[in-house]
Each structure stands twice: as structure tokens, then as C-alpha cells.
Short mmCIF file of all heavy atoms in Angstrom, two decimals:
data_model
loop_
_atom_site.label_atom_id
_atom_site.label_comp_id
_atom_site.label_asym_id
_atom_site.label_seq_id
_atom_site.Cartn_x
_atom_site.Cartn_y
_atom_site.Cartn_z
N PHE A 1 -0.30 16.31 -10.65
CA PHE A 1 -1.02 17.48 -11.17
C PHE A 1 -2.52 17.27 -11.03
O PHE A 1 -3.13 16.49 -11.77
CB PHE A 1 -0.68 17.70 -12.65
CG PHE A 1 0.70 18.24 -12.90
CD1 PHE A 1 1.73 17.39 -13.30
CD2 PHE A 1 0.97 19.60 -12.75
CE1 PHE A 1 3.00 17.89 -13.54
CE2 PHE A 1 2.24 20.10 -13.00
CZ PHE A 1 3.26 19.24 -13.39
N CYS A 2 -3.12 17.95 -10.07
CA CYS A 2 -4.57 17.91 -9.93
C CYS A 2 -5.19 18.72 -11.06
O CYS A 2 -4.90 19.91 -11.21
CB CYS A 2 -4.99 18.47 -8.57
SG CYS A 2 -4.43 17.47 -7.18
N GLU A 3 -6.04 18.08 -11.83
CA GLU A 3 -6.56 18.71 -13.05
C GLU A 3 -7.93 19.34 -12.83
O GLU A 3 -8.79 18.79 -12.15
CB GLU A 3 -6.65 17.67 -14.17
CG GLU A 3 -7.01 18.27 -15.52
CD GLU A 3 -6.94 17.23 -16.63
OE1 GLU A 3 -7.66 16.21 -16.54
OE2 GLU A 3 -6.16 17.45 -17.58
N VAL A 4 -8.11 20.50 -13.46
CA VAL A 4 -9.41 21.17 -13.44
C VAL A 4 -9.97 21.17 -14.85
O VAL A 4 -9.24 21.31 -15.83
CB VAL A 4 -9.28 22.61 -12.90
CG1 VAL A 4 -8.42 23.48 -13.81
CG2 VAL A 4 -10.65 23.24 -12.69
N ILE A 5 -11.28 20.94 -14.94
CA ILE A 5 -11.95 20.92 -16.24
C ILE A 5 -13.37 21.45 -16.06
O ILE A 5 -13.98 21.26 -15.01
CB ILE A 5 -11.97 19.49 -16.83
CG1 ILE A 5 -12.52 19.50 -18.25
CG2 ILE A 5 -12.73 18.53 -15.95
CD1 ILE A 5 -12.31 18.16 -18.97
N GLY A 6 -13.89 22.13 -17.07
CA GLY A 6 -15.26 22.64 -17.04
C GLY A 6 -15.37 23.98 -17.73
O GLY A 6 -14.70 24.93 -17.35
N SER A 7 -16.21 24.07 -18.76
CA SER A 7 -16.33 25.30 -19.53
C SER A 7 -17.66 26.03 -19.35
O SER A 7 -17.87 27.10 -19.91
CB SER A 7 -16.12 25.01 -21.02
OG SER A 7 -17.11 24.11 -21.50
N LYS A 8 -18.57 25.45 -18.55
CA LYS A 8 -19.87 26.09 -18.35
C LYS A 8 -19.78 27.11 -17.21
O LYS A 8 -19.36 26.78 -16.10
CB LYS A 8 -20.94 25.05 -18.03
CG LYS A 8 -21.25 24.12 -19.19
CD LYS A 8 -22.50 23.29 -18.92
CE LYS A 8 -23.75 24.16 -19.00
NZ LYS A 8 -24.99 23.37 -18.91
N ALA A 9 -20.18 28.33 -17.51
CA ALA A 9 -20.05 29.43 -16.55
C ALA A 9 -20.83 29.16 -15.27
O ALA A 9 -20.37 29.51 -14.16
CB ALA A 9 -20.50 30.74 -17.19
N ASP A 10 -22.01 28.55 -15.39
CA ASP A 10 -22.84 28.34 -14.20
C ASP A 10 -22.34 27.21 -13.31
O ASP A 10 -22.91 26.96 -12.24
CB ASP A 10 -24.30 28.09 -14.60
CG ASP A 10 -24.47 26.88 -15.50
OD1 ASP A 10 -23.44 26.30 -15.92
OD2 ASP A 10 -25.62 26.52 -15.81
N MET A 11 -21.28 26.54 -13.73
CA MET A 11 -20.72 25.44 -12.93
C MET A 11 -19.38 25.80 -12.29
O MET A 11 -18.77 24.98 -11.61
CB MET A 11 -20.54 24.20 -13.81
CG MET A 11 -21.83 23.53 -14.23
SD MET A 11 -22.70 22.81 -12.82
CE MET A 11 -21.57 21.50 -12.36
N ILE A 12 -18.91 27.02 -12.51
CA ILE A 12 -17.56 27.41 -12.07
C ILE A 12 -17.37 27.22 -10.57
O ILE A 12 -16.37 26.64 -10.12
CB ILE A 12 -17.25 28.86 -12.48
CG1 ILE A 12 -17.03 28.93 -13.99
CG2 ILE A 12 -15.99 29.37 -11.75
CD1 ILE A 12 -16.84 30.34 -14.50
N ASP A 13 -18.30 27.69 -9.77
CA ASP A 13 -18.16 27.60 -8.31
C ASP A 13 -18.07 26.15 -7.84
O ASP A 13 -17.23 25.80 -6.99
CB ASP A 13 -19.33 28.30 -7.61
CG ASP A 13 -19.27 29.81 -7.75
OD1 ASP A 13 -18.19 30.33 -8.09
OD2 ASP A 13 -20.31 30.47 -7.55
N THR A 14 -18.94 25.30 -8.38
CA THR A 14 -18.94 23.89 -7.99
C THR A 14 -17.64 23.21 -8.39
O THR A 14 -17.03 22.47 -7.61
CB THR A 14 -20.13 23.16 -8.65
OG1 THR A 14 -21.35 23.78 -8.23
CG2 THR A 14 -20.13 21.69 -8.28
N LEU A 15 -17.20 23.47 -9.62
CA LEU A 15 -15.97 22.86 -10.12
C LEU A 15 -14.74 23.34 -9.35
O LEU A 15 -13.82 22.57 -9.07
CB LEU A 15 -15.80 23.17 -11.61
CG LEU A 15 -16.85 22.55 -12.54
CD1 LEU A 15 -16.76 23.16 -13.93
CD2 LEU A 15 -16.68 21.04 -12.61
N PHE A 16 -14.74 24.62 -9.01
CA PHE A 16 -13.61 25.18 -8.27
C PHE A 16 -13.54 24.59 -6.86
O PHE A 16 -12.46 24.26 -6.36
CB PHE A 16 -13.74 26.70 -8.21
CG PHE A 16 -12.54 27.40 -7.63
CD1 PHE A 16 -11.25 27.06 -8.01
CD2 PHE A 16 -12.71 28.41 -6.69
CE1 PHE A 16 -10.16 27.71 -7.48
CE2 PHE A 16 -11.62 29.08 -6.16
CZ PHE A 16 -10.34 28.72 -6.54
N THR A 17 -14.70 24.40 -6.25
CA THR A 17 -14.74 23.81 -4.91
C THR A 17 -14.23 22.37 -4.94
O THR A 17 -13.46 21.95 -4.07
CB THR A 17 -16.19 23.84 -4.36
OG1 THR A 17 -16.62 25.20 -4.26
CG2 THR A 17 -16.27 23.18 -3.00
N ASP A 18 -14.66 21.62 -5.94
CA ASP A 18 -14.20 20.23 -6.08
C ASP A 18 -12.70 20.18 -6.32
O ASP A 18 -11.99 19.35 -5.71
CB ASP A 18 -14.93 19.57 -7.25
CG ASP A 18 -14.39 18.18 -7.56
OD1 ASP A 18 -14.65 17.26 -6.76
OD2 ASP A 18 -13.69 18.04 -8.58
N PHE A 19 -12.20 21.06 -7.18
CA PHE A 19 -10.76 21.10 -7.46
C PHE A 19 -9.96 21.40 -6.19
O PHE A 19 -8.96 20.73 -5.90
CB PHE A 19 -10.46 22.15 -8.53
CG PHE A 19 -9.00 22.49 -8.61
CD1 PHE A 19 -8.11 21.67 -9.27
CD2 PHE A 19 -8.51 23.64 -8.00
CE1 PHE A 19 -6.75 21.97 -9.32
CE2 PHE A 19 -7.17 23.95 -8.04
CZ PHE A 19 -6.28 23.11 -8.70
N LYS A 20 -10.38 22.39 -5.43
CA LYS A 20 -9.65 22.76 -4.22
C LYS A 20 -9.63 21.62 -3.22
O LYS A 20 -8.62 21.40 -2.52
CB LYS A 20 -10.28 24.01 -3.59
CG LYS A 20 -9.99 25.29 -4.34
CD LYS A 20 -10.42 26.53 -3.57
CE LYS A 20 -11.92 26.61 -3.44
NZ LYS A 20 -12.33 27.87 -2.75
N ALA A 21 -10.72 20.87 -3.14
CA ALA A 21 -10.77 19.74 -2.21
C ALA A 21 -9.78 18.65 -2.63
O ALA A 21 -9.07 18.09 -1.79
CB ALA A 21 -12.19 19.17 -2.16
N ARG A 22 -9.72 18.35 -3.93
CA ARG A 22 -8.78 17.34 -4.41
C ARG A 22 -7.34 17.79 -4.22
O ARG A 22 -6.47 17.00 -3.84
CB ARG A 22 -9.04 17.03 -5.89
CG ARG A 22 -10.26 16.17 -6.11
CD ARG A 22 -10.39 15.72 -7.57
NE ARG A 22 -10.77 16.82 -8.44
CZ ARG A 22 -10.00 17.32 -9.40
NH1 ARG A 22 -8.78 16.84 -9.58
NH2 ARG A 22 -10.44 18.31 -10.16
N LEU A 23 -7.07 19.06 -4.49
CA LEU A 23 -5.72 19.59 -4.32
C LEU A 23 -5.30 19.52 -2.85
O LEU A 23 -4.18 19.09 -2.53
CB LEU A 23 -5.65 21.03 -4.83
CG LEU A 23 -4.29 21.73 -4.69
CD1 LEU A 23 -3.25 21.06 -5.57
CD2 LEU A 23 -4.41 23.22 -5.05
N LYS A 24 -6.19 19.95 -1.96
CA LYS A 24 -5.88 19.94 -0.53
C LYS A 24 -5.62 18.52 -0.04
O LYS A 24 -4.69 18.28 0.75
CB LYS A 24 -7.03 20.57 0.25
CG LYS A 24 -6.76 20.71 1.74
CD LYS A 24 -7.91 21.43 2.43
CE LYS A 24 -7.65 21.58 3.92
NZ LYS A 24 -8.78 22.26 4.61
N ASP A 25 -6.42 17.58 -0.53
CA ASP A 25 -6.24 16.18 -0.11
C ASP A 25 -4.89 15.65 -0.60
O ASP A 25 -4.17 14.95 0.15
CB ASP A 25 -7.36 15.32 -0.68
CG ASP A 25 -7.26 13.88 -0.22
OD1 ASP A 25 -7.30 13.63 0.99
OD2 ASP A 25 -7.13 13.00 -1.10
N ALA A 26 -4.51 15.97 -1.84
CA ALA A 26 -3.22 15.51 -2.37
C ALA A 26 -2.06 16.15 -1.62
O ALA A 26 -1.04 15.49 -1.33
CB ALA A 26 -3.12 15.83 -3.86
N GLN A 27 -2.20 17.42 -1.24
CA GLN A 27 -1.12 18.13 -0.57
C GLN A 27 -0.83 17.59 0.82
O GLN A 27 0.26 17.81 1.36
CB GLN A 27 -1.44 19.62 -0.51
CG GLN A 27 -1.30 20.31 -1.86
CD GLN A 27 -1.67 21.78 -1.82
OE1 GLN A 27 -2.64 22.16 -1.13
NE2 GLN A 27 -0.94 22.61 -2.53
N LYS A 28 -1.76 16.87 1.40
CA LYS A 28 -1.52 16.24 2.70
C LYS A 28 -0.37 15.23 2.63
O LYS A 28 0.25 14.91 3.64
CB LYS A 28 -2.78 15.51 3.19
CG LYS A 28 -3.96 16.41 3.51
CD LYS A 28 -5.17 15.57 3.89
CE LYS A 28 -6.40 16.42 4.12
NZ LYS A 28 -7.60 15.58 4.39
N HIS A 29 -0.11 14.75 1.43
CA HIS A 29 0.90 13.70 1.26
C HIS A 29 2.23 14.23 0.74
O HIS A 29 3.11 13.43 0.41
CB HIS A 29 0.35 12.64 0.29
CG HIS A 29 -0.95 12.04 0.70
ND1 HIS A 29 -1.06 11.11 1.70
CD2 HIS A 29 -2.22 12.28 0.27
CE1 HIS A 29 -2.34 10.77 1.86
NE2 HIS A 29 -3.05 11.46 1.00
N ASN A 30 2.37 15.54 0.67
CA ASN A 30 3.62 16.11 0.16
C ASN A 30 4.83 15.57 0.94
O ASN A 30 4.79 15.47 2.17
CB ASN A 30 3.60 17.63 0.25
CG ASN A 30 2.86 18.27 -0.91
OD1 ASN A 30 2.52 17.61 -1.89
ND2 ASN A 30 2.62 19.57 -0.82
N SER A 31 5.87 15.22 0.21
CA SER A 31 7.09 14.67 0.82
C SER A 31 8.25 14.96 -0.12
O SER A 31 8.09 15.64 -1.13
CB SER A 31 6.94 13.17 1.04
OG SER A 31 6.84 12.49 -0.21
N LYS A 32 9.41 14.42 0.21
CA LYS A 32 10.56 14.58 -0.68
C LYS A 32 10.27 13.98 -2.05
O LYS A 32 10.78 14.46 -3.06
CB LYS A 32 11.80 13.91 -0.09
CG LYS A 32 12.40 14.63 1.11
CD LYS A 32 13.73 14.02 1.51
CE LYS A 32 13.57 12.57 1.95
NZ LYS A 32 14.86 11.99 2.44
N ARG A 33 9.48 12.94 -2.08
CA ARG A 33 9.23 12.21 -3.32
C ARG A 33 7.93 12.56 -4.01
O ARG A 33 7.75 12.30 -5.20
CB ARG A 33 9.25 10.70 -2.99
CG ARG A 33 9.25 9.78 -4.16
CD ARG A 33 9.00 8.35 -3.75
NE ARG A 33 7.83 8.21 -2.88
CZ ARG A 33 6.58 8.27 -3.31
NH1 ARG A 33 6.32 8.49 -4.58
NH2 ARG A 33 5.58 8.13 -2.46
N PHE A 34 7.02 13.18 -3.29
CA PHE A 34 5.69 13.45 -3.82
C PHE A 34 5.35 14.93 -3.65
O PHE A 34 5.36 15.44 -2.52
CB PHE A 34 4.65 12.58 -3.09
CG PHE A 34 3.24 12.74 -3.58
CD1 PHE A 34 2.74 11.91 -4.56
CD2 PHE A 34 2.41 13.72 -3.06
CE1 PHE A 34 1.43 12.05 -5.02
CE2 PHE A 34 1.11 13.88 -3.50
CZ PHE A 34 0.61 13.04 -4.49
N LYS A 35 5.07 15.60 -4.75
CA LYS A 35 4.69 17.02 -4.73
C LYS A 35 3.44 17.20 -5.58
O LYS A 35 3.18 16.43 -6.51
CB LYS A 35 5.81 17.91 -5.29
CG LYS A 35 7.17 17.76 -4.61
CD LYS A 35 7.17 18.29 -3.20
CE LYS A 35 8.56 18.19 -2.59
NZ LYS A 35 8.56 18.57 -1.15
N THR A 36 2.70 18.24 -5.28
CA THR A 36 1.49 18.52 -6.05
C THR A 36 1.72 19.65 -7.03
O THR A 36 2.58 20.51 -6.84
CB THR A 36 0.32 18.90 -5.12
OG1 THR A 36 0.76 19.90 -4.21
CG2 THR A 36 -0.18 17.69 -4.36
N GLY A 37 0.94 19.62 -8.10
CA GLY A 37 0.93 20.68 -9.09
C GLY A 37 -0.49 20.88 -9.58
O GLY A 37 -1.44 20.24 -9.08
N ILE A 38 -0.65 21.75 -10.55
CA ILE A 38 -1.98 22.08 -11.09
C ILE A 38 -1.99 21.85 -12.59
O ILE A 38 -1.06 22.28 -13.30
CB ILE A 38 -2.35 23.53 -10.76
CG1 ILE A 38 -2.65 23.66 -9.26
CG2 ILE A 38 -3.54 24.00 -11.59
CD1 ILE A 38 -2.92 25.07 -8.81
N ALA A 39 -3.02 21.18 -13.07
CA ALA A 39 -3.21 20.98 -14.51
C ALA A 39 -4.50 21.66 -14.95
O ALA A 39 -5.56 21.44 -14.36
CB ALA A 39 -3.26 19.49 -14.84
N ILE A 40 -4.38 22.48 -15.98
CA ILE A 40 -5.54 23.04 -16.67
C ILE A 40 -5.80 22.13 -17.85
O ILE A 40 -4.92 21.94 -18.69
CB ILE A 40 -5.26 24.47 -17.18
CG1 ILE A 40 -4.65 25.35 -16.08
CG2 ILE A 40 -6.52 25.09 -17.77
CD1 ILE A 40 -5.55 25.63 -14.91
N HIS A 41 -6.99 21.56 -17.96
CA HIS A 41 -7.17 20.54 -18.99
C HIS A 41 -6.83 21.05 -20.38
O HIS A 41 -5.96 20.49 -21.07
CB HIS A 41 -8.60 19.98 -18.99
CG HIS A 41 -8.79 18.90 -20.02
ND1 HIS A 41 -9.21 19.16 -21.30
CD2 HIS A 41 -8.59 17.56 -19.95
CE1 HIS A 41 -9.26 18.03 -21.99
NE2 HIS A 41 -8.89 17.04 -21.19
N SER A 42 -7.45 22.13 -20.83
CA SER A 42 -7.20 22.67 -22.17
C SER A 42 -7.95 23.98 -22.34
O SER A 42 -8.88 24.28 -21.58
CB SER A 42 -7.64 21.68 -23.25
OG SER A 42 -9.06 21.55 -23.23
N PRO A 43 -7.61 24.77 -23.36
CA PRO A 43 -8.35 26.03 -23.58
C PRO A 43 -9.80 25.81 -23.99
O PRO A 43 -10.64 26.67 -23.73
CB PRO A 43 -7.56 26.71 -24.70
CG PRO A 43 -6.72 25.65 -25.32
CD PRO A 43 -6.44 24.66 -24.24
N TYR A 44 -10.12 24.67 -24.60
CA TYR A 44 -11.50 24.46 -25.03
C TYR A 44 -12.38 23.92 -23.92
O TYR A 44 -13.61 23.98 -24.03
CB TYR A 44 -11.56 23.54 -26.25
CG TYR A 44 -11.15 22.10 -26.01
CD1 TYR A 44 -12.04 21.17 -25.49
CD2 TYR A 44 -9.88 21.66 -26.36
CE1 TYR A 44 -11.67 19.85 -25.28
CE2 TYR A 44 -9.50 20.34 -26.16
CZ TYR A 44 -10.40 19.43 -25.63
OH TYR A 44 -10.03 18.13 -25.43
N SER A 45 -11.79 23.41 -22.84
CA SER A 45 -12.59 22.70 -21.84
C SER A 45 -12.61 23.36 -20.47
O SER A 45 -13.25 22.85 -19.55
CB SER A 45 -12.07 21.27 -21.69
OG SER A 45 -10.73 21.29 -21.22
N VAL A 46 -11.92 24.49 -20.30
CA VAL A 46 -11.91 25.18 -19.00
C VAL A 46 -12.25 26.65 -19.22
O VAL A 46 -11.60 27.34 -20.00
CB VAL A 46 -10.54 25.05 -18.29
CG1 VAL A 46 -10.64 25.62 -16.87
CG2 VAL A 46 -10.06 23.61 -18.26
N HIS A 47 -13.27 27.12 -18.51
CA HIS A 47 -13.70 28.51 -18.64
C HIS A 47 -12.59 29.43 -18.14
O HIS A 47 -11.95 29.14 -17.12
CB HIS A 47 -14.97 28.73 -17.81
CG HIS A 47 -15.69 29.99 -18.16
ND1 HIS A 47 -15.26 31.24 -17.74
CD2 HIS A 47 -16.81 30.21 -18.92
CE1 HIS A 47 -16.08 32.16 -18.20
NE2 HIS A 47 -17.04 31.57 -18.91
N PRO A 48 -12.32 30.54 -18.84
CA PRO A 48 -11.24 31.44 -18.42
C PRO A 48 -11.36 31.95 -16.99
O PRO A 48 -10.35 32.17 -16.32
CB PRO A 48 -11.29 32.59 -19.44
CG PRO A 48 -12.60 32.45 -20.15
CD PRO A 48 -12.96 31.01 -20.09
#
């Protein structure tokens, strides 16, 4: 589960870009035994 975190509105674009890069890198290794997912850290720490 690649996790996203960040509640500051002015950082959303940067955080989203970083998250997508980590997710894409993890997905390169998808196999029968390894799959990717998405984790939202929490309601208090991630901007809607």
C-alpha cells in the first residue's frame, strides 16, 4: 500500500506527484505474489 499524506492545500500538487511516482515504481514489480494498493494516511493528515 503506497501511502499518501499531507493536509496543506498549497502542497497538494507536489504530494500527488510524489505519490504517483512511488506507486508507478512499485507497480513495475507486480507479480503473482506482489500487488500494489493505495493507503490514505488518515482524515486528519490528508487534504480531501
Side-chain angles (χ1 to χ4, degrees):
F1 287 100
C2 295
E3 187 173 59
V4 64
I5 187 170
S7 61
K8 293 191 72 173
D10 59 354
M11 289 293 293
I12 288 175
D13 289 343
T14 300
L15 294 168
F16 188 45
T17 298
D18 173 72
F19 165 79
K20 286 190 293 183
R22 284 188 289 114
L23 179 65
K24 185 176 180 181
D25 183 60
Q27 287 178 321
K28 294 176 185 176
H29 304 284
N30 278 349
S31 65
K32 288 188 298 184
R33 190 191 50 76
F34 182 92
K35 305 291 183 186
T36 49
I38 289 175
I40 311 294
H41 182 269
S42 67
Y44 67 83
S45 62
V46 188
H47 196 283

